[in-house]
Amino acid sequence: MVKSSFLFAWEQYKSWLISPRILLAVYITIFINENITKKMLAICTEVGYKINLAEPLALIFSKSIYTVIIPIVFIALMTDFPRTEGSVFYVYRMSRKSWVLGELLFAAASSLTYVISLVLGTLLYCAGKCDLSNTWSDFTTKLYLDYPDIYAQSTSLAVESSVYTQGKPLEVILHSMALIFLYTMILSLVIMLFKLLNRGEIGIISAVAITLFGLATDSGASKVMWAFPITHTVFGWHYDRFFRAQNFTILGSYIYLAALLVALVILNFIVSKKVRFS
């Protein structure tokens, strides 16, 4: 069962990687880094600072606009997931459970690839221009003091205090990557669930709606926000911007997202038993 599921997932994954749609991941990586990393590096050149590799990523993963764009692009990459048309042959050979497991493995591989591609793209932009230290640079901690005029013109490039006062750069990035991975997995399984119910369009709309409604405000102080899974992906929103108070625990976010993921996995297995494949 497991071997056939892995082989099925691998075939799906290879097809996904060579599909024209995968270029969206490339475009979004370039777009984000042109607007964030390139500008941060330009300021560093001007004032003589040097940022570390994690700081552009910390900013990317904490900005509201990119918190929306990143999952929306992923949804676009997964619009035909899973392919139920023509799956009767696989189900006949593998069993329904093996087919669902294969699709889950494919979703996990796709989510992980997407998150890693964003990180690697940013690292390429920083190659040879950033430090490898695990401490926040002067760009983050002193720019507003040393060069207030430059800071005032580039506040959109500033990592929020709720991020850099609550964790080291590597810690922030690893948590962000893991939480975004869990969230993109949740989106995949929402899409899959509705596709199995023969309501694929509703699945896509639901995934987009979950993302947009969760960002009605970018203040972690709003308790309503924590009902939406996307809120849990932003490290800085777990802490107050001005005080050291915690709005929600990181561990709590992992538990919440993992519980949603498990529930969706179970639902997909249950619904798959009633699906008539073509």
Side-chain angles (χ1 to χ4, degrees), residues 48 73 170:
V73 170
L170 185 59

Side-chain angles (χ1 to χ4, degrees), residues 12 22 28 56 58 112 144 148 238 244 275:
Q12 295 277 79
I22 200 68
I28 189 59
L112 187 60
Y144 71 101
H238 289 78
R244 290 188 175 273
V275 175

Side-chain angles (χ1 to χ4, degrees), residues 245-276:
Q246 193 171 54
N247 297 317
F248 203 94
T249 66
I250 297 292
L251 177 59
S253 289
Y254 280 113
I255 293 173
Y256 179 71
L257 294 179
L260 281 178
L261 196 56
V262 170
L264 285 166
V265 168
I266 293 172
L267 280 173
N268 273 285
F269 271 108
I270 293 173
V271 171
S272 69
K273 295 178 181 179
K274 302 177 182 180
V275 175
R276 295 184 64 182

Side-chain angles (χ1 to χ4, degrees), residues 16-37:
W16 182 75
L17 280 180
I18 62 175
S19 67
R21 194 175 296 155
I22 200 68
L23 291 174
L24 288 172
V26 178
Y27 295 151
I28 189 59
T29 301
I30 294 173
F31 172 77
I32 290 175
N33 282 287
E34 284 290 315
N35 284 278
I36 294 289
T37 309

Side-chain angles (χ1 to χ4, degrees), residues 11-119:
E11 290 301 320
Q12 295 277 79
Y13 181 67
K14 286 192 296 183
S15 298
W16 182 75
L17 280 180
I18 62 175
S19 67
R21 194 175 296 155
I22 200 68
L23 291 174
L24 288 172
V26 178
Y27 295 151
I28 189 59
T29 301
I30 294 173
F31 172 77
I32 290 175
N33 282 287
E34 284 290 315
N35 284 278
I36 294 289
T37 309
K38 188 175 181 179
K39 291 180 180 179
M40 291 177 76
L41 292 172
I43 292 175
C44 286
T45 301
E46 181 181 352
V47 302
Y49 288 163
K50 198 168 187 179
I51 57 175
N52 74 56
L53 284 168
E55 283 174 290
L57 285 167
L59 182 60
I60 290 168
F61 290 145
S62 64
K63 298 291 288 184
S64 296
I65 182 65
Y66 300 120
T67 303
V68 173
I69 291 176
I70 289 171
I72 292 296
V73 170
F74 181 76
I75 292 170
L77 291 172
M78 302 294 283
T79 50
D80 61 351
F81 169 77
R83 296 180 180 176
T84 54
E85 299 81 6
S87 295
V88 64
F89 174 73
Y90 294 105
V91 174
Y92 176 75
R93 293 190 61 188
M94 298 168 54
S95 81
R96 289 174 184 266
K97 288 184 179 179
S98 296
W99 180 85
V100 173
L101 178 58
E103 294 291 5
L104 294 177
L105 290 171
F106 165 67
S110 301
S111 297
L112 187 60
T113 299
Y114 181 62
V115 174
I116 290 176
S117 70
L118 293 171
V119 174

Side-chain angles (χ1 to χ4, degrees), residues 197-218:
L197 292 169
N198 201 28
R199 296 291 186 272
E201 296 83 359
I202 296 178
I204 299 298
I205 294 171
S206 298
V208 173
I210 291 169
T211 299
L212 296 179
F213 291 164
L215 292 173
T217 172
D218 63 357

